[in-house]
Amino acid sequence: MSAESSKAIFYALAANAGIAIIKFAATALTGSGAMFAEAIHSSADCGNQLLLLFGLRQSRKPPSPLHPMGSGRAINFYSLLVALLLFFVGGAFSVYEGIHRLIAREPLQHAYVAIAVLGISVVLETLSLIGALRAIRAGAPTKSLWRWFRETRESDLLVVAGEDIAALAGLAIAFAAVLLTVVTGNPVWDALGSIGVGLLLMTIAGLIAREVKSMIVGESASPEMRGEIETFLRARGEIRSIINLITLQWGKEIVVAVQAEMIYYAESRAMVAAINVIEADLQAKFPQVRWVFFEPDFVVR
């Protein structure tokens, strides 16, 4: 876990804790369904960040006989839990609350308090998102946000960024709903705002869950990293050709399996020594590569 990624989680936790307290106070004053949905969302986000921190701690466990390659991928499991919590606790509950208020038609009180709180929340969530974007840019300075979302192997940072984006979009919906309720005097808009926030959260949670599921199943290293590793190996004078190259992202570390045709060596010990040098140089150049499995083979011509 990088320092920037760690900071992004703590920024999000601090922002959401403050926002949740303010939103619950505003809900008590205004009776706003959209505000209550936002308060529940922020509370769920606090729990999510704590769950991510716990998952990161679990992922640092050293290798053991039961888990010989360590527990680096444990963070993917906890990231999936966070996505599910965002879907059900944040999204589904908001939809339920909106439908309830749509039927009850409860009036909105002290609407300007709700608007002020939403404005403060936007500022705090923006600061949290800036922290997440800073961490993203540190690792992928040239990628678009959508491309990073599809290609990243950092499930913890993926969840934090997704939550922050969902929060800002949800605040925009809640702000519009409360404003329309004030202008029209019709509480239906407030109820629809709660439903809109819930549907948005469920959509983003579904996208996050899809990406994290792929990581749990097992993804290769990022396209850039895999390309750099392949280029490095093909440039080695000891290797005649690469037959097969497999990379596997294992938490923050990478597993590399190489099947290659070596140049001619009169003795097997000389070939083994050459392979050892290649492995050592590969790990020196790419510190993320924790394990290297090298199989010398030949191509039938």
Side-chain angles (χ1 to χ4, degrees):
M1 178 183 178
S2 67
E4 288 294 332
S5 179
S6 178
K7 288 178 183 178
I9 296 178
F10 282 109
Y11 286 154
L13 177 59
N16 283 310
I19 292 170
I21 294 171
I22 295 172
K23 285 178 179 176
F24 274 118
T27 299
L29 284 173
T30 65
S32 168
M35 180 62 68
F36 186 55
E38 279 295 313
I40 293 296
H41 171 205
S42 296
S43 299
D45 282 351
C46 289
N48 290 345
Q49 268 92 59
L50 291 173
L51 196 57
L52 283 178
L53 291 172
F54 178 76
L56 285 167
R57 183 177 179 181
Q58 293 295 107
S59 70
R60 296 193 190 103
K61 288 184 176 180
S64 66
L66 182 61
H67 301 104
M69 297 177 71
S71 303
R73 290 170 67 178
I75 185 58
N76 296 338
F77 168 75
Y78 288 97
S79 295
L80 182 61
L81 289 184
V82 168
L84 293 176
L85 286 172
L86 184 63
F87 186 95
F88 289 107
V89 178
F93 183 83
S94 295
V95 171
Y96 165 79
E97 182 65 20
I99 293 173
H100 170 72
R101 291 181 181 264
L102 192 62
I103 296 171
R105 301 290 179 93
E106 298 175 1
L108 182 65
Q109 301 174 347
H110 306 291
Y112 294 105
V113 173
I115 292 174
V117 168
L118 289 172
I120 295 171
S121 299
V122 167
V123 173
L124 293 176
E125 286 289 1
T126 299
L127 293 174
S128 177
L129 181 58
I130 289 173
L133 292 177
R134 185 181 295 118
I136 291 170
R137 290 299 167 225
T142 61
K143 287 185 180 180
S144 67
L145 188 59
W146 176 248
R147 184 183 169 195
W148 173 85
F149 181 85
R150 296 306 310 274
E151 294 182 357
T152 184
R153 304 305 191 255
E154 296 183 86
S155 59
D156 51 330
L157 189 55
L158 173 72
V159 170
V160 171
E163 282 183 343
D164 287 342
I165 292 170
L168 280 173
L171 286 168
I173 293 173
F175 185 87
V178 172
L179 196 61
L180 284 170
T181 301
V182 172
V183 172
T184 65
N186 188 347
V188 168
W189 290 110
D190 182 57
L192 291 177
S194 180
I195 294 172
V197 169
L199 292 176
L200 171 72
L201 293 178
M202 293 168 75
T203 299
I204 292 181
L207 291 173
I208 293 173
R210 182 184 66 179
E211 295 299 320
V212 175
K213 184 209 76 170
S214 181
M215 297 181 199
I216 290 175
V217 171
E219 289 187 336
S220 67
S222 66
E224 293 85 1
M225 178 60 67
R226 189 189 188 285
E228 290 178 14
I229 291 173
E230 184 172 0
T231 299
F232 171 85
L233 292 171
R234 291 190 183 281
R236 298 294 302 202
E238 305 96 327
I239 298 176
R240 180 171 294 167
S241 65
I242 301 294
I243 301 172
N244 194 19
L245 172 64
I246 296 174
T247 62
L248 178 64
Q249 192 73 39
W250 200 272
K252 305 298 180 184
E253 298 169 330
I254 298 173
V255 181
V256 176
V258 185
Q259 184 184 24
E261 182 179 18
M262 304 292 288
I263 62 174
Y264 175 74
Y265 287 92
E267 297 181 1
S268 59
R269 293 178 64 89
M271 180 184 292
V272 171
I275 290 173
N276 289 338
V277 170
I278 294 171
E279 291 178 347
D281 289 349
L282 178 65
Q283 291 176 308
K285 183 173 178 61
F286 303 100
Q288 306 96 313
V289 176
R290 176 74 181 277
W291 298 274
V292 182
F293 302 98
F294 202 107
E295 178 188 356
D297 208 335
F298 63 89
V299 178
V300 179
R301 292 182 172 82

